[in-house]
Structure formats: structure tokens, C-alpha cells
Amino acid sequence: MTDGVANLDDRLAVEVRGLTRFFGAVPALAGVDLEIPRGAVFGLLGPNGAGKTTTVRILNGVLDATRVDTLRVLGHDLPEGASEIRPLVGVQTDTNLYDRLTARDNLSLFARFYGLDAAAAARRADGLLDMFGLLPRARERVERFSKGMKQKMLIARALVGSPQLVYPGEPTAGLDPEASHELMSYIRTVSRAEHTTFFLTSHRLDEMEDVCTKVAVLAGGVIRAQGSPAEVARAAVPRVRVRVTPAPGAVLTARMLLALPGATGMDAADGTFLVDVASLSAVPGFVRAAVALPVDLLGVAEEAPTLQEAYLALVGTPSDDAVEAAR
């Protein structure tokens, strides 16, 4: 192995080239390419039936690819290295908790399965409970926990063996917004603190935009775009807009804004103006000119495209789940 390949293996948790999978004559995946850095919170986006679950199953060594050029997880080639990666991977499922055991006993039990002695297992359990804000409830039976607390427990369970790569699936499914935000914050914290890579699949585009350091949009069996949420949004939605908000009582007209350098069009709504600007490089000049207007303004800022807009541009009409999540 060359030094360049060794360095690449150290840098990437997942490297995929040309991943193809047929079910009968139907191509579920048709040449998927992915690069996921170690320590990233990665989100795989796509409509129902796009092949997200198939991709995860292949990366876990549960399902074989029909054809693939490169399939490497944590430095091990698949399918040959499937047995080597299993101890390094954590998978969240909905059936990994014993409701009649306490939170500490649940995690201690699974820690023992990873070869830790009783004392080390208890320390690992308490450390995870503390990380997820559950240590004060350590002696309570899990059956008494709320759904949000159980979701935290499930992710803690997936982390018991100190995995390098975790597949939480859709960790916030069924949670209210407050619990969802809290849980995603914990995922971000664990990723940074322990350099753990998370591989999420979700329709909650707003959450993915907030927590993910990298995303990919899968549709039609291929990756339509990948990069940071901002990079994907910029590439998929080329328009550039600046939001101008006048102070209450200030007189700001469309004519005044359209006369500024770089302005090409405008929409007005809810007392603010969304001005189309010719290019991103033209934004600073437009902002300077807007601030110089003889009008009191509350704000002048670029309105960056969102991951939701990028998803719609790349995939089209979202699934019902994605529409509901965006409301």
C-alpha cells in the first residue's frame, strides 16, 4: 500500500466507487460514489425507495454489491473485511433495550458483551449516561423513560463498544422538535469529542442541515450531489439573494433597491425585500450600497439557499415525510 493510499484510509471512514446493486432486473443503486471523512456527521438524503437502506446494508456487510469498484469501510475492503469492521461499527435498532432493567444495567450488560469486566462496564455505562444527560436517571427502569430518553439510550447502546462508525438510522423519528434538537446536539457532541463518524438517513432536512458536516443526495440510484450542506445548496440552487429589512416607518421602495449595483430582480413580503443579485461576488457591493441609502434599515444580509431548496432542485417533489418535516 502506498503512502498516499494509507493516508486516504486514515482520512476516510467510508470510500465507495461505482456501487451497483440489482434486485432482479431492477437497479436499486446504479454507480454510487461516496467519500465520508472520519469524524463526520454524514447524512444520506433521498426519497423513499431511493436506495438509502440498501446502501447501509451493503456498507455493514449484510448485503453484497452486484458490482463495485471500491468498497472500503474504516480501511477494510468489503466484503472480505466484513468480520474485521463489525467490532468497529455501532448500529442503532429499536429492539436493543430491556425495559425491565435500569438504564445503567442495560448499558453495563451490553458493555460486558464487548469484553469489559464488571467494573469497566459500569464506568462505560455511567460515562455514556452522563454524556446523554441521563446519569440522574441511571437507576430507573427504562420502561419508565419517555420516547426521547429511550432514543438517547438506543444511541448510547450503539456507542457502548466505542465504535468508530455509527449508523443511527433516523434517530429523531417520532420525537417532538425539542427532543429532536436535543438528541441531534448530543450526536454532534459525541462526534466532536470522540471523533466518531455518524451515518444518518433521514427525511428531516432541517435537522440534517443543522447537524451534518457532510450530506449526499441519492435519487435514481445515483448520488446527485455531496458536500457540506452549504456546498450542496450552493451548487443546486445557483440564485443569489439579499434580504433587506427596513426599520418600522422607514420608506424603502423597490425602485431604490433595483437601482443598486448588481440587483436584477426582487420579491417583497412581510415587510422585507428579497433582492436577486447577479452573482455572489456582487453581494458585497450591493450590501455597501444598500447600507448607504438614506433609509433606516434593521438588516441587510445574503439569504443563502437551504438544503430543502437543494433537495427539491435535485430530486423534485419530496416525500410526504420531507414535506411534513419542513413545515
Side-chain angles (χ1 to χ4, degrees), residues 16 28 56 79 81 141 169 181 190 210 277 305:
V16 177
V56 170
R141 291 184 179 181
H181 175 76
V190 173
D210 287 341
V277 180

Side-chain angles (χ1 to χ4, degrees), residues 149-171:
M149 294 167 65
K150 286 183 178 180
Q151 289 290 81
K152 292 179 188 178
M153 283 291 299
L154 287 169
I155 295 180
R157 152 70 184 93
L159 292 168
V160 159
S162 301
Q164 298 177 30
L165 174 61
V166 181
Y167 296 95
E170 299 193 38

Side-chain angles (χ1 to χ4, degrees), residues 197-264:
T197 306
F198 285 86
F199 189 119
L200 309 173
T201 57
S202 178
H203 289 121
R204 303 290 294 270
L205 301 180
D206 52 344
E207 292 178 354
M208 301 290 261
E209 188 166 31
D210 287 341
V211 74
C212 290
T213 55
K214 184 171 184 178
V215 297
V217 180
L218 176 64
V222 297
I223 298 295
R224 301 289 181 88
Q226 64 179 305
S228 71
E231 289 169 344
V232 169
R234 290 277 185 205
V237 185
R239 62 103 177 120
V240 178
R241 282 181 168 177
V242 174
R243 182 178 293 275
V244 182
T245 306
V251 179
L252 181 65
T253 67
R255 179 176 294 183
M256 294 167 68
L257 291 172
L258 290 174
L260 299 181
T264 61

Side-chain angles (χ1 to χ4, degrees), residues 74-93:
L74 300 174
H76 297 279
D77 291 317
L78 296 179
E80 297 83 3
S83 60
E84 282 79 8
I85 70 166
R86 286 193 182 110
L88 308 176
V89 172
V91 180
Q92 178 188 334
T93 73

Side-chain angles (χ1 to χ4, degrees), residues 290-309:
V291 171
L293 288 172
V295 178
D296 290 333
L297 301 176
L298 295 180
V300 182
E302 192 230 346
E303 189 87 348
T306 66
L307 189 58
Q308 169 77 7
E309 291 174 308

